[in-house]
Amino acid sequence: MLPAVGKLCCAIVYPHCRSMTGLQRTAMAAIVHEIGHMKKGGHLSLPDWAGQLKWPGCMNRGEVRTEEVRTNRPITLREEEMAYLKQGQEALQKALEIVDDQTGWKIETSEENGDVIYSKVLPGARKVFRLEAVLDASPEELHDHLFVKVEEMNQWNPNIKQIKVLKHVGKDTMVTHEVSAETAGNLIGQRDFLSVRHSYKQKSCIYLAGGATHVESFPPQKGVVRAEDGPTCIIIQPDGDNTDRSRFTWLLNMDLKGWLPKSIVSQALPRVQSDFARYLRRHLAERLQSTLMSSCTPTFRCVRA
């Protein structure tokens, strides 16, 4: 194969070589002589002087080897896990900065049960929402439902079709794939999310942070728009001295992607928070009732609280 290629190249350059004179002809003869000695063991190896040539679009051999190591070296499992952990920690830090900045918040909705949803426009014109509520559950119980048992969330929240944990990074960080449910009359349509979820506890306060990430094995699905969330967080802390009740703060920061008017998004996202609080309360009440019923013995008649 190599001799045939050589003959073809010679045929192409022959007319040009005939017109060369003086040093040009001498240099060409030297190059041809070098090429004749480069074939070793069926392979073509470049001489040392070839590495000094700066042909357009090419690098010398040392540069090629370095670039190949830099681009083709596989990322180790430890590096991947540390990257996800860093994403989760950064999402928490950025989300708390948004929540702690008290300027610019205004009330979007206020419910009779005391739930209040605030909104704020961030630099770049993205609008975020903050839900403030009080729930009849301890911070540890809410952490269990919202983080530890995150894959069961679709069982009590009909707006979620599925949440699957793709990877655990220790006990406090995970990568999840979430798909929203198809609902009649939903102008937004189905969305899916690839997210890093991170949990952090400080004294009696529990933080659940999240942010969009990228996983090669989970490209966007056909018919579903890949949306992005984060930085976002949920803050759970005891309601005063009552450890069985929690103050619940949820920063919702989401880019739904697709061609959606801002007016529709601004109406839909607070509704997502309101529905979530309602479904979570129903789930907690059902769990409490189930616990009370299971604690009753046949000897006594259970009185529903």
Side-chain angles (χ1 to χ4, degrees):
M1 180 66 181
L2 186 61
V5 174
K7 291 179 180 179
L8 178 60
C9 293
C10 290
I12 295 173
V13 302
Y14 177 72
H16 303 283
C17 293
R18 288 189 62 186
S19 62
M20 289 182 178
T21 60
L23 290 176
Q24 290 180 335
R25 181 182 293 274
T26 302
M28 178 58 68
I31 293 173
V32 171
H33 180 74
E34 287 275 5
I35 293 175
H37 290 83
M38 285 193 301
K39 185 173 182 297
K40 299 177 182 179
H43 298 283
L44 200 65
S45 59
L46 293 176
D48 293 336
W49 57 261
Q52 305 303 318
L53 295 179
K54 297 298 183 178
W55 294 324
C58 299
M59 296 176 289
N60 63 46
R61 289 184 294 167
E63 289 175 334
V64 172
R65 284 198 295 267
T66 303
E67 186 68 18
E68 287 176 349
V69 170
R70 181 162 54 246
T71 58
N72 296 334
R73 182 179 65 82
I75 298 176
T76 65
L77 181 62
R78 181 61 178 169
E79 288 174 333
E80 182 184 46
E81 290 179 343
M82 291 303 295
Y84 288 135
L85 178 60
K86 184 179 180 181
Q87 287 181 38
Q89 293 173 339
E90 289 180 348
L92 175 59
Q93 180 181 355
K94 293 177 181 178
L96 289 179
E97 289 176 358
I98 297 173
V99 173
D100 292 340
D101 184 1
Q102 298 299 316
T103 61
W105 292 103
K106 67 176 186 177
I107 296 178
E108 282 280 333
T109 62
S110 181
E111 305 289 342
E112 293 182 359
N113 59 8
D115 292 0
V116 181
I117 297 177
Y118 301 87
S119 67
K120 178 179 182 176
V121 179
L122 300 179
R126 178 181 293 192
K127 196 173 185 179
V128 297
F129 301 87
R130 190 183 89 230
L131 167 67
E132 299 282 353
V134 176
L135 301 174
D136 292 324
S138 67
E140 290 75 17
E141 185 179 357
L142 291 173
H143 174 267
D144 186 61
H145 290 301
L146 302 178
F147 190 83
V148 178
K149 298 178 180 178
V150 66
E151 290 187 322
E152 299 177 10
M153 197 176 292
N154 64 316
Q155 297 178 11
W156 52 267
N157 187 349
N159 287 334
I160 298 175
K161 181 178 180 180
Q162 174 185 295
I163 296 182
K164 182 176 179 59
V165 176
L166 306 181
K167 185 177 186 61
H168 285 279
V169 182
K171 65 176 183 178
D172 296 324
T173 306
M174 65 179 75
V175 180
T176 63
H177 179 232
E178 176 181 344
V179 183
S180 66
E182 298 179 77
T183 57
N186 185 2
L187 297 177
I188 293 180
Q190 262 192 306
R191 295 293 192 273
D192 78 332
F193 304 84
L194 280 173
S195 307
V196 170
R197 297 173 186 250
H198 179 67
S199 173
Y200 175 72
K201 184 174 182 179
Q202 186 178 40
K203 296 182 179 179
S204 59
C205 188
I206 297 176
Y207 302 90
L208 306 178
T213 190
H214 177 73
V215 180
E216 289 289 345
S217 57
F218 274 82
Q221 301 179 359
K222 185 178 181 180
V224 180
V225 177
R226 173 63 51 83
E228 294 181 355
D229 61 339
T232 184
C233 74
I234 291 175
I235 305 171
I236 311 168
Q237 50 192 326
D239 182 29
D241 296 331
N242 191 343
T243 57
D244 292 331
R245 287 168 59 89
S246 299
R247 283 188 285 147
F248 183 89
T249 301
W250 176 19
L251 173 70
L252 179 60
N253 181 8
M254 187 178 295
D255 185 354
L256 292 173
K257 302 296 184 179
W259 299 97
L260 292 171
K262 289 185 178 181
S263 58
I264 293 180
V265 175
S266 295
Q267 294 176 21
L269 293 183
R271 174 55 58 186
V272 168
Q273 289 186 301
S274 179
D275 288 346
F276 181 87
R278 183 171 71 257
Y279 296 137
L280 180 55
R281 279 194 176 92
R282 181 189 301 170
H283 176 62
L284 294 172
E286 291 173 351
R287 295 282 295 180
L288 178 60
Q289 183 177 358
S290 176
T291 300
L292 291 175
M293 294 297 293
S294 62
S295 65
C296 294
T297 63
T299 307
F300 300 96
R301 180 181 179 185
C302 296
V303 179
R304 183 176 299 178

CSV table of all heavy atoms in Angstrom, one decimal, residues 59-94:
chain,number,residue,atom,x,y,z
A,59,MET,N,1.0,19.9,14.8
A,59,MET,CA,1.9,20.1,16.0
A,59,MET,C,3.0,19.1,15.9
A,59,MET,O,3.0,18.1,15.2
A,59,MET,CB,1.1,19.9,17.3
A,59,MET,CG,0.0,20.9,17.5
A,59,MET,SD,-1.0,20.5,19.0
A,59,MET,CE,-1.8,19.0,18.5
A,60,ASN,N,4.2,19.4,16.6
A,60,ASN,CA,5.2,18.4,16.6
A,60,ASN,C,4.9,17.2,17.4
A,60,ASN,O,3.8,17.2,18.1
A,60,ASN,CB,6.5,19.1,17.1
A,60,ASN,CG,6.4,19.6,18.5
A,60,ASN,OD1,5.9,18.8,19.4
A,60,ASN,ND2,6.9,20.8,18.8
A,61,ARG,N,5.7,16.2,17.4
A,61,ARG,CA,5.3,14.9,18.1
A,61,ARG,C,5.1,15.1,19.6
A,61,ARG,O,4.2,14.5,20.1
A,61,ARG,CB,6.4,13.9,17.8
A,61,ARG,CG,6.4,13.4,16.4
A,61,ARG,CD,7.5,12.3,16.2
A,61,ARG,NE,8.8,12.9,16.4
A,61,ARG,CZ,9.9,12.1,16.5
A,61,ARG,NH1,9.7,10.8,16.5
A,61,ARG,NH2,11.1,12.6,16.7
A,62,GLY,N,6.0,15.9,20.2
A,62,GLY,CA,5.8,16.1,21.6
A,62,GLY,C,4.4,16.7,22.0
A,62,GLY,O,3.8,16.3,22.9
A,63,GLU,N,4.0,17.7,21.2
A,63,GLU,CA,2.7,18.4,21.4
A,63,GLU,C,1.6,17.4,21.2
A,63,GLU,O,0.6,17.4,21.9
A,63,GLU,CB,2.6,19.6,20.5
A,63,GLU,CG,3.6,20.7,20.9
A,63,GLU,CD,3.5,21.8,19.9
A,63,GLU,OE1,3.2,21.5,18.7
A,63,GLU,OE2,3.8,23.0,20.2
A,64,VAL,N,1.7,16.5,20.1
A,64,VAL,CA,0.6,15.6,19.9
A,64,VAL,C,0.4,14.6,21.0
A,64,VAL,O,-0.7,14.4,21.5
A,64,VAL,CB,0.9,14.8,18.6
A,64,VAL,CG1,-0.1,13.7,18.4
A,64,VAL,CG2,0.9,15.8,17.4
A,65,ARG,N,1.5,14.1,21.6
A,65,ARG,CA,1.4,13.2,22.7
A,65,ARG,C,0.8,13.8,23.9
A,65,ARG,O,0.0,13.3,24.6
A,65,ARG,CB,2.8,12.6,23.0
A,65,ARG,CG,3.3,11.6,22.0
A,65,ARG,CD,4.5,10.8,22.6
A,65,ARG,NE,5.6,11.7,22.9
A,65,ARG,CZ,6.6,11.8,22.0
A,65,ARG,NH1,6.6,11.2,20.8
A,65,ARG,NH2,7.6,12.6,22.3
A,66,THR,N,1.3,15.1,24.2
A,66,THR,CA,0.7,15.8,25.3
A,66,THR,C,-0.8,16.0,25.2
A,66,THR,O,-1.6,15.9,26.1
A,66,THR,CB,1.4,17.1,25.5
A,66,THR,OG1,2.8,16.9,25.7
A,66,THR,CG2,0.9,17.9,26.7
A,67,GLU,N,-1.2,16.5,24.0
A,67,GLU,CA,-2.6,16.7,23.7
A,67,GLU,C,-3.4,15.5,23.8
A,67,GLU,O,-4.5,15.5,24.3
A,67,GLU,CB,-2.8,17.4,22.3
A,67,GLU,CG,-4.2,17.8,22.0
A,67,GLU,CD,-4.6,19.0,22.9
A,67,GLU,OE1,-3.7,19.7,23.4
A,67,GLU,OE2,-5.8,19.2,23.0
A,68,GLU,N,-2.9,14.4,23.3
A,68,GLU,CA,-3.6,13.1,23.4
A,68,GLU,C,-3.8,12.7,24.8
A,68,GLU,O,-4.9,12.2,25.2
A,68,GLU,CB,-2.9,12.0,22.6
A,68,GLU,CG,-3.0,12.2,21.1
A,68,GLU,CD,-2.1,11.1,20.4
A,68,GLU,OE1,-1.3,10.4,21.1
A,68,GLU,OE2,-2.3,11.0,19.2
A,69,VAL,N,-2.8,12.9,25.7
A,69,VAL,CA,-3.0,12.5,27.1
A,69,VAL,C,-4.0,13.4,27.7
A,69,VAL,O,-4.8,12.9,28.5
A,69,VAL,CB,-1.6,12.6,27.8
A,69,VAL,CG1,-1.8,12.5,29.3
A,69,VAL,CG2,-0.6,11.6,27.3
A,70,ARG,N,-4.0,14.7,27.4
A,70,ARG,CA,-4.9,15.6,28.0
A,70,ARG,C,-6.4,15.4,27.6
A,70,ARG,O,-7.3,15.5,28.4
A,70,ARG,CB,-4.5,17.1,27.7
A,70,ARG,CG,-5.4,18.1,28.3
A,70,ARG,CD,-4.7,19.5,28.3
A,70,ARG,NE,-4.3,19.9,27.0
A,70,ARG,CZ,-3.0,20.0,26.6
A,70,ARG,NH1,-2.0,19.8,27.5
A,70,ARG,NH2,-2.7,20.4,25.4
A,71,THR,N,-6.6,15.0,26.3
A,71,THR,CA,-8.0,14.9,25.9
A,71,THR,C,-8.5,13.5,26.0
A,71,THR,O,-9.7,13.3,26.1
A,71,THR,CB,-8.1,15.4,24.4
A,71,THR,OG1,-7.2,14.6,23.6
A,71,THR,CG2,-7.7,16.8,24.3
A,72,ASN,N,-7.6,12.5,25.9
A,72,ASN,CA,-8.1,11.1,25.8
A,72,ASN,C,-8.0,10.4,27.2
A,72,ASN,O,-8.4,9.3,27.3
A,72,ASN,CB,-7.3,10.3,24.8
A,72,ASN,CG,-7.6,10.9,23.4
A,72,ASN,OD1,-8.7,11.4,23.1
A,72,ASN,ND2,-6.7,10.7,22.5
A,73,ARG,N,-7.3,11.0,28.1
A,73,ARG,CA,-7.1,10.3,29.4
A,73,ARG,C,-8.5,10.2,30.1
A,73,ARG,O,-9.2,11.1,30.3
A,73,ARG,CB,-6.2,11.1,30.3
A,73,ARG,CG,-6.0,10.5,31.7
A,73,ARG,CD,-5.0,11.3,32.5
A,73,ARG,NE,-5.6,12.6,32.9
A,73,ARG,CZ,-6.5,12.7,33.9
A,73,ARG,NH1,-6.8,11.7,34.6
A,73,ARG,NH2,-7.0,13.9,34.1
A,74,PRO,N,-8.9,8.9,30.4
A,74,PRO,CA,-10.2,8.8,31.1
A,74,PRO,C,-10.3,9.4,32.4
A,74,PRO,O,-9.3,9.4,33.2
A,74,PRO,CB,-10.3,7.2,31.2
A,74,PRO,CG,-8.9,6.7,31.2
A,74,PRO,CD,-8.2,7.7,30.3
A,75,ILE,N,-11.4,10.0,32.7
A,75,ILE,CA,-11.7,10.6,34.0
A,75,ILE,C,-11.9,9.5,35.0
A,75,ILE,O,-12.7,8.6,34.8
A,75,ILE,CB,-12.9,11.5,34.0
A,75,ILE,CG1,-12.7,12.6,33.0
A,75,ILE,CG2,-13.2,12.1,35.4
A,75,ILE,CD1,-13.9,13.6,32.8
A,76,THR,N,-11.1,9.5,36.1
A,76,THR,CA,-11.3,8.5,37.1
A,76,THR,C,-12.6,8.6,37.9
A,76,THR,O,-13.2,9.7,37.9
A,76,THR,CB,-10.1,8.5,38.1
A,76,THR,OG1,-10.2,9.8,38.9
A,76,THR,CG2,-8.7,8.5,37.4
A,77,LEU,N,-13.0,7.5,38.5
A,77,LEU,CA,-14.2,7.6,39.3
A,77,LEU,C,-14.1,8.6,40.4
A,77,LEU,O,-15.1,9.3,40.7
A,77,LEU,CB,-14.5,6.2,39.9
A,77,LEU,CG,-15.8,6.0,40.7
A,77,LEU,CD1,-17.0,6.3,39.9
A,77,LEU,CD2,-15.8,4.6,41.3
A,78,ARG,N,-13.0,8.7,41.1
A,78,ARG,CA,-12.8,9.6,42.1
A,78,ARG,C,-13.0,11.1,41.7
A,78,ARG,O,-13.6,11.9,42.3
A,78,ARG,CB,-11.4,9.4,42.8
A,78,ARG,CG,-11.1,10.4,44.0
A,78,ARG,CD,-12.1,10.2,45.1
A,78,ARG,NE,-11.8,11.0,46.2
A,78,ARG,CZ,-12.6,11.1,47.3
A,78,ARG,NH1,-13.7,10.5,47.3
A,78,ARG,NH2,-12.2,11.9,48.3
A,79,GLU,N,-12.4,11.4,40.5
A,79,GLU,CA,-12.5,12.7,39.9
A,79,GLU,C,-14.0,13.0,39.6
A,79,GLU,O,-14.5,14.1,39.8
A,79,GLU,CB,-11.7,12.8,38.7
A,79,GLU,CG,-10.2,12.9,39.0
A,79,GLU,CD,-9.4,12.9,37.7
A,79,GLU,OE1,-9.8,12.3,36.7
A,79,GLU,OE2,-8.2,13.4,37.7
A,80,GLU,N,-14.7,12.1,39.1
A,80,GLU,CA,-16.1,12.3,38.7
A,80,GLU,C,-16.9,12.5,40.0
A,80,GLU,O,-17.8,13.4,40.0
A,80,GLU,CB,-16.6,11.0,38.0
A,80,GLU,CG,-18.1,11.2,37.5
A,80,GLU,CD,-18.6,9.9,36.9
A,80,GLU,OE1,-18.4,8.8,37.5
A,80,GLU,OE2,-19.2,10.0,35.8
A,81,GLU,N,-16.7,11.7,41.0
A,81,GLU,CA,-17.4,11.9,42.2
A,81,GLU,C,-17.1,13.3,42.9
A,81,GLU,O,-18.0,13.9,43.4
A,81,GLU,CB,-17.1,10.8,43.2
A,81,GLU,CG,-17.7,9.4,42.8
A,81,GLU,CD,-17.3,8.3,43.8
A,81,GLU,OE1,-16.3,8.5,44.6
A,81,GLU,OE2,-17.9,7.3,43.7
A,82,MET,N,-15.9,13.7,42.9
A,82,MET,CA,-15.5,15.0,43.4
A,82,MET,C,-16.2,16.1,42.7
A,82,MET,O,-16.5,17.1,43.2
A,82,MET,CB,-14.0,15.1,43.5
A,82,MET,CG,-13.3,14.2,44.4
A,82,MET,SD,-13.9,14.4,46.1
A,82,MET,CE,-13.4,16.1,46.5
A,83,ALA,N,-16.3,15.9,41.3
A,83,ALA,CA,-16.9,17.0,40.5
A,83,ALA,C,-18.4,17.1,40.9
A,83,ALA,O,-18.9,18.2,41.0
A,83,ALA,CB,-16.8,16.6,39.0
A,84,TYR,N,-19.1,16.0,41.1
A,84,TYR,CA,-20.5,16.1,41.5
A,84,TYR,C,-20.7,16.7,42.9
A,84,TYR,O,-21.6,17.5,43.1
A,84,TYR,CB,-21.1,14.7,41.4
A,84,TYR,CG,-21.4,14.1,40.1
A,84,TYR,CD1,-21.0,12.8,39.7
A,84,TYR,CD2,-21.9,14.9,39.1
A,84,TYR,CE1,-21.2,12.3,38.5
A,84,TYR,CE2,-22.1,14.4,37.8
A,84,TYR,CZ,-21.8,13.1,37.5
A,84,TYR,OH,-22.0,12.6,36.2
A,85,LEU,N,-19.8,16.3,43.8
A,85,LEU,CA,-19.8,16.8,45.1
A,85,LEU,C,-19.6,18.3,45.1
A,85,LEU,O,-20.3,19.1,45.8
A,85,LEU,CB,-18.8,16.2,46.0
A,85,LEU,CG,-18.6,16.7,47.4
A,85,LEU,CD1,-19.9,16.5,48.2
A,85,LEU,CD2,-17.5,16.0,48.2
A,86,LYS,N,-18.7,18.8,44.3
A,86,LYS,CA,-18.4,20.2,44.2
A,86,LYS,C,-19.6,21.0,43.6
A,86,LYS,O,-20.0,22.1,44.0
A,86,LYS,CB,-17.2,20.5,43.3
A,86,LYS,CG,-16.8,21.9,43.2
A,86,LYS,CD,-15.5,22.1,42.3
A,86,LYS,CE,-15.1,23.6,42.2
A,86,LYS,NZ,-13.9,23.8,41.4
A,87,GLN,N,-20.3,20.4,42.6
A,87,GLN,CA,-21.5,21.0,42.0
A,87,GLN,C,-22.6,21.1,43.1
A,87,GLN,O,-23.2,22.2,43.1
A,87,GLN,CB,-22.0,20.1,40.9
A,87,GLN,CG,-21.2,20.2,39.6
A,87,GLN,CD,-21.7,19.3,38.5
A,87,GLN,OE1,-23.0,19.2,38.3
A,87,GLN,NE2,-20.9,18.6,37.8
A,88,GLY,N,-22.8,20.1,43.9
A,88,GLY,CA,-23.8,20.2,44.9
A,88,GLY,C,-23.5,21.2,45.9
A,88,GLY,O,-24.4,22.0,46.4
A,89,GLN,N,-22.2,21.3,46.4
A,89,GLN,CA,-21.8,22.3,47.4
A,89,GLN,C,-22.0,23.7,46.8
A,89,GLN,O,-22.4,24.7,47.5
A,89,GLN,CB,-20.4,22.1,47.8
A,89,GLN,CG,-20.3,20.8,48.6
A,89,GLN,CD,-18.8,20.4,48.9
A,89,GLN,OE1,-17.9,20.9,48.2
A,89,GLN,NE2,-18.6,19.6,49.9
A,90,GLU,N,-21.6,23.9,45.6
A,90,GLU,CA,-21.7,25.3,44.9
A,90,GLU,C,-23.1,25.7,44.7
A,90,GLU,O,-23.5,26.8,44.9
A,90,GLU,CB,-20.9,25.3,43.6
A,90,GLU,CG,-19.4,25.2,43.7
A,90,GLU,CD,-18.7,25.2,42.4
A,90,GLU,OE1,-19.4,25.0,41.4
A,90,GLU,OE2,-17.5,25.4,42.4
A,91,ALA,N,-24.0,24.7,44.4
A,91,ALA,CA,-25.4,25.0,44.2
A,91,ALA,C,-26.0,25.5,45.5
A,91,ALA,O,-26.8,26.4,45.6
A,91,ALA,CB,-26.1,23.7,43.7
A,92,LEU,N,-25.6,24.8,46.6
A,92,LEU,CA,-26.1,25.2,48.0
A,92,LEU,C,-25.7,26.6,48.3
A,92,LEU,O,-26.5,27.5,48.7
A,92,LEU,CB,-25.7,24.2,49.0
A,92,LEU,CG,-26.0,24.6,50.5
A,92,LEU,CD1,-27.5,24.7,50.7
A,92,LEU,CD2,-25.4,23.6,51.4
A,93,GLN,N,-24.4,26.9,48.1
A,93,GLN,CA,-23.9,28.2,48.4
A,93,GLN,C,-24.5,29.3,47.6
A,93,GLN,O,-25.0,30.4,48.2
A,93,GLN,CB,-22.4,28.3,48.2
A,93,GLN,CG,-21.7,29.6,48.5
A,93,GLN,CD,-20.2,29.6,48.2
A,93,GLN,OE1,-19.6,28.6,47.8
A,93,GLN,NE2,-19.6,30.8,48.3
A,94,LYS,N,-24.7,29.1,46.3
A,94,LYS,CA,-25.3,30.1,45.5
A,94,LYS,C,-26.8,30.3,45.8
A,94,LYS,O,-27.3,31.4,45.8
A,94,LYS,CB,-25.1,29.8,44.0
A,94,LYS,CG,-23.7,29.8,43.5
A,94,LYS,CD,-23.6,29.4,42.1
A,94,LYS,CE,-22.1,29.4,41.6
A,94,LYS,NZ,-22.0,28.9,40.2
